[in-house]
Amino acid sequence: MKAIILAAGKGTRMFPLTKNTPKSLLDIGQGLTLLETQLHSLQEAGITNIVLVVGYRAEQIEAKIKEYEKDFEISIVFNPFYDTSNNLISAWMAKHHMTDEFITINGDDIFDSIVIKDLLKSKENITMVTDVKDEYDSDDMKIVSVNNLVKKVSKKVPIEEANGESVGIIKFSGHGPKIYTDTLEEMIRDPENLQVFYLKAIQQIINRGFPVHQSICNEKDWGEIDFHPDLKLIRQYVSKTKLVDRIFEK
C-alpha cells in the first residue's frame, strides 16, 4: 500500500504565512510541520511508501523529507503547472504510481492514524473517508450518501441536501486504480478540467455507475488547513493530543 499526498498548491488563502513556505511545511505546533504529522500517522497505520506531488516551493519539501529517508520510501512527482491548474492535474501527474492499491491524501489534511487504519479495512474498489457533522458550510466538500454509497460530492451540493463531508482521503484497490486512472486520462484532455478538483473525477466515476463506498470517521479525528482560523484549531488539537511528544518518542 502506498500513500499519494497532493501537496503542489500555493495555499494562497493562507497568505502571508505561505508566501515563502508551502502549506505542508507550516508549523502546526512545537516545531512540527503539517507534512510530518501526515507521515507519522501513516507510519502508525503501517504505510511507509509515500509519493509526494509537489510544485510550489518544492525545494523546501524535498529538503525536509531528507530527514525521513531512513524510515520511509519517498518518491517525488513535480507538477510544473501548480500555479495555473487545480489538483486534478496533480493527481494525473502521479498516475504512473497508481498501478497497485493506494491512498490519495490532500496535502492540507491532518488526521489520526485510526482514520487510515479504518479505511484499510475496506475491501471495495473505491472507498472515500467521510465524516458527519451537525452543520455544513459552503466551503465544505459536501457529499450525499445513500446506503453507505457516495452519490454526490462537491462544494456545490446544497447544504440542506448534504449528509456528510469528504475528508480528502480515498483508497483505491482491486479495479479501483484502473477506473480512476482511465477517468483522469480522459478528463485531462478537456481544457475545462484544468481548474477543477480531483473529486470531479470521483463524481464522474459515480455517474458512470461505479460504486464509491465510504469509511466514516469521527470529525474530531481529522482537520484541514484552508484558512487562518483552521491553523489555530489544529495547533490546539496538536497540544491536546500530545502529538509532538508521541512523534519524538519514536
Side-chain angles (χ1 to χ4, degrees), residues 38-213:
Q38 293 179 323
L39 293 177
H40 170 72
S41 292
L42 288 167
Q43 187 179 43
E44 279 196 339
I47 299 176
T48 56
N49 188 347
I50 311 294
V51 177
L52 273 171
V53 184
V54 300
Y56 180 64
R57 307 293 185 188
E59 69 285 352
Q60 294 183 28
I61 296 176
E62 290 171 326
K64 169 58 71 174
I65 62 173
K66 288 185 182 299
E67 302 173 20
Y68 293 87
E69 291 177 344
K70 178 181 177 181
D71 297 319
F72 293 87
E73 178 185 343
I74 302 179
S75 302
I76 290 289
V77 173
F78 181 72
N79 175 5
F81 311 110
Y82 68 87
D83 199 24
T84 58
S85 63
N86 210 322
N87 62 14
L88 179 89
I89 306 303
S90 287
W92 175 76
M93 295 284 295
K95 68 183 186 300
H96 56 287
H97 288 283
M98 299 178 178
T99 54
D100 298 311
E101 61 178 357
F102 62 92
I103 295 171
T104 59
I105 300 174
N106 288 354
D108 56 6
D109 272 357
I110 181 171
F111 47 90
D112 190 277
S113 61
I114 191 63
V115 175
I116 304 299
K117 291 175 182 177
D118 284 346
L119 175 62
L120 293 179
K121 295 175 184 177
S122 174
K123 304 300 181 183
E124 308 296 342
N125 289 328
I126 303 175
T127 306
M128 175 187 295
V129 179
T130 64
D131 75 354
V132 178
K133 303 192 298 187
D134 292 332
E135 296 180 349
Y136 303 93
D137 60 49
S138 59
D139 196 61
D140 287 336
M141 188 60 74
K142 299 173 288 295
I143 70 161
V144 175
S145 65
V146 179
N147 297 327
N148 207 42
L149 292 176
V150 179
K151 297 299 183 181
K152 295 181 182 178
V153 54
S154 173
K155 289 188 176 185
K156 296 180 180 179
V157 169
I159 292 175
E160 62 274 14
E161 289 184 22
N163 60 359
E165 174 187 20
S166 170
V167 168
I169 303 175
I170 306 175
K171 176 176 176 285
F172 300 85
S173 57
H175 298 294
K178 182 170 179 16
I179 293 170
Y180 188 46
T181 54
D182 284 352
T183 303
L184 290 173
E185 191 66 34
E186 177 183 332
M187 292 180 68
I188 200 69
R189 295 172 183 265
D190 184 346
E192 292 186 2
N193 289 327
L194 296 179
Q195 297 296 334
V196 303
F197 293 107
Y198 70 88
L199 284 170
K200 184 177 179 181
I202 301 300
Q203 185 63 62
Q204 188 152 315
I205 287 169
I206 293 169
N207 294 345
R208 291 177 172 174
F210 295 105
V212 172
H213 293 254

Side-chain angles (χ1 to χ4, degrees), residues 210-249:
F210 295 105
V212 172
H213 293 254
Q214 59 178 341
S215 174
I216 302 175
C217 73
N218 189 313
E219 66 173 306
K220 296 180 180 180
D221 286 335
W222 81 285
E224 61 183 343
I225 300 177
D226 284 328
F227 303 99
H228 286 263
D230 298 331
L231 184 56
K232 181 179 179 180
L233 292 173
I234 291 297
R235 284 174 172 166
Q236 290 174 350
Y237 167 84
V238 170
S239 176
K240 182 179 179 180
T241 59
K242 302 186 184 301
L243 182 60
V244 175
D245 294 338
R246 287 161 50 199
I247 289 177
F248 292 123
E249 281 176 0

Side-chain angles (χ1 to χ4, degrees), residues 3-21:
I4 300 174
I5 302 174
L6 306 179
K10 295 179 69 175
T12 54
R13 292 184 293 186
M14 289 298 295
F15 272 21
L17 295 178
T18 51
K19 186 174 182 179
N20 297 302
T21 303

